[in-house]
Amino acid sequence: MTALVRRLLVLFVRIMVGARSEWRGCTPDTRRRIYFANHNSHVDTVAVMAALPYQVRRLTHPVAARDYWGTSAFRRFIAEKGLRAVLIDRKPLPDSNPLEPLERLLEEGRSILIFPEGTRSSTDEIAPFRSGIYRLACRFPDVDLVPIHLDNLQRILPKGSMLIVPITCTARFGKPLRVEPGEGKDAFLARARAAIIELADGGRTA
Amino acid sequence: MTSLFSIVLAAILGLLAVASTIGFILQRRATEPGSVATVQNLNARIRSWWIMVAVFGGAILLGDTAVVILFAFLSFMALREFWTLTPSRRGDHLALFLSFFVVLPLHYVLLGTLWYGLFSIFIPVYAFLILPAVATLTGDVNEFLARTARVQWGLMLTVYSISHAPALLMLETGTPPALLLVYLVIVVQLSDVFQYVWGKLLGKHRFSPNISPSKTLEGLIGGGASAILVGTLLYRLTPFSPLQAAAVSTVIVVAGFFGGFVLSAIKRDLNAKDWGYVIEGHGGVLDRLDSITFAAPLFFHIVRYWFTA
């Protein structure tokens, strides 16, 4: 049943937003990876999942905010069953480690998909990254971090609208990166953010 | 109509078989990287032609409703390709939503129910006034005129113009209307194919490097003349005399040229090489239908004005 829902969800997204993938800096691989993407629409997560080949998708868990995706039974079902998402707290209690569920998945050899901007931006600008991605990168120095640029999603379902306009979206996968020895948090976050911005350029003529 | 249509379909399938054979031979002969790429692209195009002929031919055989639904779907894909490349702002969101899910379906319903009067004015009068009106509600005046023009042209090219091909089914000329549509599609598409073939074989003088770098003067003239010749020979599909068929084919071919050029000019303006990616070797739906956008309305009105009772 949930497998069927999953398939239908992917099919629906493929029809509605195209969800085409373009592997620029790497190829699809079932090894554990940390995918990170720019975030400006509710469709982002499903779009990336739909763009991943099935073998990779089934091993990949997107991260979703509990304060949005956990608020109703329907959203919970779509997130947890439909997308195999992990719900995490955006404002965790002081003593807890919100990244803990992600670390556990990576330890099990699974891949995760995160949106380091933390929240959807309402402009085309990519917001500064939060530090979670840096902490994960330090904790798993041998895991590739794959940047993903999503185009057009802002226009497909902008913040504050419920109306989907079926423009095609392309998920562009860039060259994997890792934390360099001695690289500080700010430098790494800037480099990761630049990797996504770089993918945005010249996409149309490629 | 079925017997005539069967003959035409058989002829097209025969042509495709010949094309596939030539493609296969060329593939075995090609050695240098440049020609290998060309032959691969050629074979991808031929494969896609098989599919396009199967889809279009199948819809014709299934009947008018299937044809209208097919074109509604093609318009949807084309409109989507148009907006994927064309910039829009948050303030256009509702207008775009209405274009896709209200204007496009309603327009094709009017076509399917043969309501010609409203069909012909629904987009250029009502949609063109209502969509900018809706856009004002967001209060975004940034580039308002240019944005309105884009919304209107998107609908004009991909929905209104393209729909004039299936609209031929409305016309009573004494010949089965589906054959008129077949005639239009054959002349337009053969003109493109012949231009490609003539251009590859003899092309030297580039016609318009800024807009369409691969088009050559030799391709345009040779391809256009060949398509007009075929259009004349196929006069039995139509209510035209051979001479009239020659004249009408000429109009179709010239309009088709400009359809291709105008859509290419928009692509260049948007820094894109192709409109989309769904038809292997061709690009997007709009890359394949660019000539139709200009040829269909002209052909429709020529037939409607001079050849209907």
Side-chain angles (χ1 to χ4, degrees):
Chain A
M1 174 63 192
T2 45
L4 182 69
V5 170
R6 235 171 245 154
R7 288 292 175 107
L8 287 177
L9 198 63
V10 167
L11 186 68
F12 177 72
V13 171
R14 289 227 169 114
I15 292 170
M16 286 309 288
V17 304
R20 182 166 158 261
S21 54
E22 194 182 300
W23 295 83
R24 277 226 189 142
C26 60
T27 49
D29 199 308
T30 50
R31 268 180 309 175
R32 62 176 176 172
R33 279 171 166 173
I34 298 170
Y35 296 97
F36 63 101
N38 58 318
H39 197 20
N40 42 34
S41 151
H42 281 315
V43 202
D44 289 1
T45 313
V46 272
V48 176
M49 294 303 277
L52 288 172
Y54 173 72
Q55 296 297 342
V56 180
R57 192 191 328 138
R58 58 190 278 270
L59 295 170
T60 305
H61 300 261
V63 175
R66 189 183 300 282
D67 54 273
Y68 180 81
W69 287 100
T71 47
S72 75
F74 175 72
R75 280 182 188 172
R76 247 198 129 84
F77 177 77
I78 291 292
E80 292 195 326
K81 301 291 182 203
L83 297 167
R84 295 192 180 89
V86 212
L87 300 184
I88 63 165
D89 294 311
R90 276 198 278 202
K91 294 197 176 79
L93 299 168
D95 289 337
S96 67
N97 173 13
L99 298 178
E100 197 267 319
L102 307 182
E103 292 172 358
R104 211 174 334 131
L105 284 169
L106 286 164
E107 277 160 14
E108 288 169 13
R110 295 182 163 254
S111 299
I112 59 167
L113 162 65
I114 56 176
F115 297 94
E117 290 170 84
T119 186
R120 291 178 295 141
S121 61
S122 10
T123 61
D124 283 332
E125 282 288 300
I126 295 174
F129 283 6
R130 291 165 165 228
S131 61
I133 183 174
Y134 176 69
R135 281 156 59 201
L136 286 171
C138 293
R139 172 91 165 63
F140 297 93
D142 61 330
V143 172
D144 279 338
L145 288 97
V146 178
I148 304 173
H149 179 264
L150 296 166
D151 63 6
N152 277 333
L153 281 164
Q154 170 88 358
R155 302 199 294 144
I156 292 170
L157 185 62
K159 205 167 187 170
S161 176
M162 297 292 283
L163 305 175
I164 293 187
V165 170
I167 294 169
T168 320
C169 159
T170 302
R172 225 168 268 133
F173 295 79
K175 201 163 173 278
L177 39 112
R178 293 178 184 185
V179 181
E180 314 240 315
E183 191 175 21
K185 186 181 81 175
D186 293 338
F188 176 79
L189 293 180
R191 191 157 66 91
R193 183 166 169 268
I196 291 184
I197 294 171
E198 198 186 315
L199 285 171
D201 295 337
R204 284 184 179 163
T205 44
Chain B
M1 107 112 183
T2 27
S3 64
L4 254 182
F5 178 64
S6 312
I7 296 170
V8 171
L9 193 61
I12 292 171
L13 294 177
L15 266 179
L16 278 178
V18 172
S20 288
T21 314
I22 292 174
F24 180 72
I25 295 169
L26 288 177
Q27 194 173 16
R28 304 193 70 177
R29 284 200 188 161
T31 43
E32 28 175 326
S35 52
V36 169
T38 307
V39 171
Q40 273 173 355
N41 176 265
L42 174 72
N43 285 332
R45 280 168 188 254
I46 295 171
R47 273 196 302 281
S48 295
W49 274 117
W50 281 102
I51 299 170
M52 289 187 281
V53 167
V55 170
F56 181 65
I60 297 273
L61 289 174
L62 283 173
D64 291 2
T65 312
V67 172
V68 174
I69 292 173
L70 171 67
F71 274 90
F73 179 71
L74 292 175
S75 276
F76 181 87
M77 296 289 288
L79 185 61
R80 166 184 205 162
E81 287 169 359
F82 183 89
W83 280 112
T84 297
L85 294 184
T86 305
S88 66
R89 292 170 60 86
R90 177 68 177 89
D92 301 318
H93 194 69
L94 184 56
L96 296 192
F97 179 82
L98 295 174
S99 300
F100 277 99
F101 295 111
V102 177
V103 177
L104 188 156
L106 267 179
H107 180 72
Y108 274 94
V109 167
L110 295 171
L111 169 56
T113 54
L114 310 179
W115 190 349
Y116 175 73
L118 192 52
F119 166 85
S120 61
I121 60 167
F122 175 60
I123 286 177
V125 177
Y126 293 99
F128 280 15
L129 294 179
I130 290 170
L131 293 180
V134 163
T136 59
L137 297 178
T138 58
D140 183 359
V141 294
N142 205 308
E143 287 205 349
F144 191 83
L145 181 57
R147 281 163 47 207
T148 303
R150 288 197 282 259
V151 169
Q152 297 184 336
W153 246 60
L155 279 173
M156 197 67 188
L157 289 170
T158 64
V159 183
Y160 192 74
S161 293
I162 288 176
S163 73
H164 279 73
L168 289 163
L169 300 175
M170 290 182 181
L171 302 180
E172 285 178 22
T173 58
T175 31
L179 289 183
L180 282 173
L181 173 59
V182 170
Y183 181 81
L184 169 71
V185 171
I186 288 179
V187 175
V188 168
Q189 301 299 353
L190 272 186
S191 174
D192 282 1
V193 171
F194 284 139
Q195 281 177 55
Y196 173 87
V197 172
W198 279 78
K200 286 281 174 206
L201 293 178
L202 301 175
K204 286 207 174 58
H205 303 88
R206 294 209 286 171
F207 180 71
S208 178
N210 273 341
I211 293 176
S212 199
S214 59
K215 287 227 161 77
T216 62
L217 198 59
E218 293 81 356
L220 284 187
I221 295 173
S226 313
I228 292 168
L229 180 66
V230 174
T232 310
L233 295 175
L234 288 178
Y235 75 96
R236 277 180 200 284
L237 294 180
T238 66
F240 317 142
S241 71
L243 199 60
Q244 287 167 333
V248 173
S249 310
T250 308
V251 173
I252 294 177
V253 165
V254 173
F257 283 157
F258 282 105
F261 280 137
V262 168
L263 270 293
S264 286
I266 301 175
K267 271 193 295 195
R268 297 295 167 262
D269 184 22
L270 298 170
N271 279 324
K273 195 176 132 297
D274 289 320
W275 282 105
Y277 50 86
V278 293
I279 312 178
E280 195 198 355
H282 297 258
V285 169
L286 206 40
D287 290 295
R288 193 61 278 145
L289 292 183
D290 51 4
S291 317
I292 289 272
T293 55
F294 275 48
L298 280 177
F299 181 65
F300 175 88
H301 286 291
I302 289 172
V303 175
R304 191 178 127 79
Y305 190 79
W306 277 296
F307 295 93
T308 54

